[in-house]
Amino acid sequence: MITALMIILAIASVILICSILLQSSNSDGMSGAIGGGAEQLFGKKKSRGYESLLNKISTVAAILFIILSLVIVTLQK
């Protein structure tokens, strides 16, 4: 049982790493943090298509990673 969960955890971690690395950067450096941060939050950059799909995959993989990690630790005690 634990072996199967560890295999699923490894697959989820690889998916999480790949989906994060494929996403484009949202920051413009320090100038984006000081001046244009509100535009990114409230308007002009709505994620659609490819970026939205990668964002959803990252979220699901991260949640799966955390849950599987907690389950494996709980079962090993």
Side-chain angles (χ1 to χ4, degrees):
M1 171 97 174
I2 293 178
T3 306
L5 290 175
M6 285 187 177
I7 291 171
I8 297 171
L9 180 67
I11 293 169
S13 63
V14 168
I15 292 171
L16 181 61
I17 290 168
C18 291
S19 65
I20 289 174
L21 288 176
L22 288 173
Q23 291 180 4
S24 63
S25 175
N26 288 337
S27 67
D28 294 331
M30 285 303 288
S31 63
I34 295 171
E39 289 180 2
Q40 290 179 357
L41 290 175
F42 299 115
K44 297 189 178 184
K45 288 192 175 183
K46 292 185 178 179
S47 39
R48 294 182 183 167
Y50 183 68
E51 292 294 324
S52 176
L53 179 65
L54 283 175
N55 192 11
K56 290 176 185 175
I57 290 173
S58 299
T59 303
V60 170
I63 291 170
L64 187 64
F65 180 83
I66 292 170
I67 290 172
L68 284 173
S69 298
L70 292 174
V71 168
I72 289 172
V73 167
T74 306
L75 289 176
Q76 285 184 349
K77 288 187 176 182

